[in-house]
Amino acid sequence: WAFSGLRIIVPIFYALSNVTIPFVGGVVSIISNIVLSLVLMDKLGVYGLSISISCASILNLIFLVKALSTVNFALSWREIIYTSLRSSFFALIMYAVVYIASKSLCPAEIFTDKSRLLFGVVVSIILGASVYAGLGLIFKIPELKFLKLFNRK
């Protein structure tokens, strides 16, 4: 999630003609990644490397989000938290639907029958996407506003 956040935050600075802050954030991220890699690699091996990359990305994201206030760019934290919690709740419901569907449509004994397995996977994905989109439309979330275009005649 930190990588995704960086892909959103860094272009804001570029649009504001400010390349210094993302550069400093990148340097801090690289240094923290190297230090954490050296510390965690001895104890956790390759898992330590992946943890260090994730932690460095989170540190970079926190740095850049804090730096947004220095360039007079206000974030609506209430809206961000509300959207994140709502999306997580919808994703949890979607996960439950996909899990139940995949367990009933893709039991272990059909792994030899590729066509039945493909059918089960495709149906599970369609059900999950439909549940997520349906919840979005029922609760009128603005992120899924484009789906309403399909309802117009």
Side-chain angles (χ1 to χ4, degrees), residues 106-128:
C106 305
E109 59 269 4
I110 69 162
F111 282 117
T112 56
D113 185 1
K114 301 283 190 228
S115 60
R116 283 186 61 200
L117 179 61
L118 179 63
F119 173 77
V121 169
V122 169
V123 169
S124 298
I125 291 170
I126 291 171
L127 280 172

Side-chain angles (χ1 to χ4, degrees), residues 54-76:
S54 297
C55 290
S57 295
I58 291 168
L59 182 65
N60 191 7
L61 182 63
I62 291 170
F63 173 80
L64 292 178
V65 167
K66 293 283 187 190
L68 278 176
S69 63
T70 65
V71 294
N72 295 325
F73 190 87
L75 289 174
S76 172

Side-chain angles (χ1 to χ4, degrees), residues 9-23 68 71 73:
I9 298 286
V10 170
I12 293 172
F13 287 100
Y14 295 155
L16 297 170
S17 299
N18 188 333
V19 296
T20 306
I21 292 176
F23 173 76
L68 278 176
V71 294
F73 190 87

Side-chain angles (χ1 to χ4, degrees), residues 70-144:
T70 65
V71 294
N72 295 325
F73 190 87
L75 289 174
S76 172
W77 287 105
R78 175 176 280 153
E79 184 66 27
I80 291 170
I81 291 170
Y82 176 70
T83 301
S84 298
L85 290 174
R86 182 182 56 217
S87 295
S88 297
F89 178 69
F90 291 171
L92 187 63
I93 293 171
M94 179 186 69
Y95 167 77
V97 168
V98 170
Y99 181 80
I100 292 167
S102 66
K103 286 297 179 189
S104 59
L105 294 172
C106 305
E109 59 269 4
I110 69 162
F111 282 117
T112 56
D113 185 1
K114 301 283 190 228
S115 60
R116 283 186 61 200
L117 179 61
L118 179 63
F119 173 77
V121 169
V122 169
V123 169
S124 298
I125 291 170
I126 291 171
L127 280 172
S130 299
V131 165
Y132 192 89
L135 287 170
L137 290 173
I138 290 168
F139 290 99
K140 297 180 172 118
I141 63 171
E143 295 85 7
L144 295 178

Side-chain angles (χ1 to χ4, degrees), residues 29-77:
S29 177
I30 290 170
I31 291 170
S32 64
N33 188 20
I34 291 171
V35 170
L36 286 170
S37 293
L38 292 173
V39 170
L40 296 175
M41 191 171 61
D42 289 338
K43 297 178 182 180
L44 302 172
V46 294
Y47 301 113
L49 291 176
S50 61
I51 291 170
S52 69
I53 291 170
S54 297
C55 290
S57 295
I58 291 168
L59 182 65
N60 191 7
L61 182 63
I62 291 170
F63 173 80
L64 292 178
V65 167
K66 293 283 187 190
L68 278 176
S69 63
T70 65
V71 294
N72 295 325
F73 190 87
L75 289 174
S76 172
W77 287 105

